[in-house]
Amino acid sequence: MLVAAAVCPCPPLLVPEIASGAAGELDGARAACYDAVAVLAAARPDRLLVVGPAAPAESGEFAAGSRGSLRGFGVALDVTLGAGEPGARPLPPSLTVGAWLLERTRWDAAPVAARALPEDAKAADCLEAGRRLGAEEGRLALLVLGDGSACRTAKAPGAFDDRAEPFDRAVADALARADTAALADLDPVLARQLHVAGRPAWQLLAGAAEGADLDGRLLHDEAPYGVAYLVATWT
């Protein structure tokens, strides 16, 4: 049973050591993420599953103790997902940022595991995976990672697209209302065209939260660098 979810962006720039002189520009997003993780802890879950997007070859399950590295982004920083024996595979970037968030907030509320969803995962598969999670026994919390569109300005990674802001606004509204149907209806083709990384994880959340009667709260909604960063909680 899903009892709480936190939705956070996962750009490596969220890590101050990577952002360096620009770290202050993401202070608001960073603080909102910390607050969202605190909401998860307050829900007293039996377990936490961290969910984020990945290249198909990097997708799959990751146990506690799995490690990730931010060295590819220019800083000598490694992170570990919870407590456990080191896994055979490194965490993909989205889950590495998630593990960093948990380390930064000193997560100790419940055992942790992670799942990386293929960036091109079908909506139906994401929803069904979420429904299976929601049907399991015990109190489940989700840390759901993923950015919105990367096409909000001409200098954005995906260049400007006038469809990006309406798409992000619809997602923000759905997160604020804990609207599972709206997230389930997100168009994977449009999301891919707008370089939306969060779509698979948001749709897994939608499946897991069906019938859970959770309330949503939007904590942060900005698009620095032309990329939408949304933070929300469902409890």
Side-chain angles (χ1 to χ4, degrees), residues 14-36:
L14 204 62
V15 179
E17 293 88 341
I18 295 176
S20 188
E25 296 177 13
L26 292 182
D27 279 350
R30 203 175 291 116
C33 289
Y34 299 159
D35 289 345

Side-chain angles (χ1 to χ4, degrees), residues 94-124:
S94 69
L95 299 185
T96 296
V97 174
W100 174 83
L101 270 175
L102 295 179
E103 283 193 354
R104 189 77 173 223
T105 54
R106 300 182 180 180
W107 175 268
D108 62 359
V112 182
R115 179 179 299 179
L117 301 172
E119 296 164 336
D120 59 355
K122 295 180 180 178

Side-chain angles (χ1 to χ4, degrees), residues 59-128:
S59 63
E61 306 287 334
F62 296 84
S66 297
R67 294 177 176 174
S69 177
L70 294 162
R71 294 173 184 268
F73 300 97
V75 296
L77 182 61
D78 301 312
V79 296
T80 303
L81 180 73
E85 293 297 321
R89 294 193 301 153
L91 296 169
S94 69
L95 299 185
T96 296
V97 174
W100 174 83
L101 270 175
L102 295 179
E103 283 193 354
R104 189 77 173 223
T105 54
R106 300 182 180 180
W107 175 268
D108 62 359
V112 182
R115 179 179 299 179
L117 301 172
E119 296 164 336
D120 59 355
K122 295 180 180 178
D125 292 342
C126 298
L127 291 165
E128 183 55 31

Side-chain angles (χ1 to χ4, degrees), residues 57 142 182 184:
L142 291 175

Side-chain angles (χ1 to χ4, degrees), residues 97-229:
V97 174
W100 174 83
L101 270 175
L102 295 179
E103 283 193 354
R104 189 77 173 223
T105 54
R106 300 182 180 180
W107 175 268
D108 62 359
V112 182
R115 179 179 299 179
L117 301 172
E119 296 164 336
D120 59 355
K122 295 180 180 178
D125 292 342
C126 298
L127 291 165
E128 183 55 31
R131 292 178 184 123
R132 288 196 297 268
L133 287 170
E136 293 176 1
E137 294 184 359
R139 296 172 62 83
L140 170 68
L142 291 175
L143 174 54
V144 180
L145 300 163
D147 305 340
S149 74
C151 299
R152 293 284 290 270
T153 66
K155 293 184 178 180
F160 176 74
D161 191 313
D162 60 7
R163 300 172 297 174
E165 185 173 357
F167 184 97
D168 293 330
R169 186 167 58 249
V171 173
D173 289 346
L175 293 176
R177 300 194 310 270
D179 189 337
T180 59
L183 292 183
D185 286 342
L186 293 176
D187 182 355
V189 174
L190 177 58
R192 184 171 63 252
Q193 292 171 348
L194 297 176
H195 303 273
V196 177
R199 192 273 309 170
W202 298 337
Q203 291 186 318
L204 181 143
L205 168 62
E210 285 182 359
D213 194 28
L214 301 179
D215 293 321
R217 183 184 175 203
L218 188 66
L219 305 183
H220 187 80
D221 177 5
E222 288 187 348
Y225 320 118
V227 183
Y229 297 150

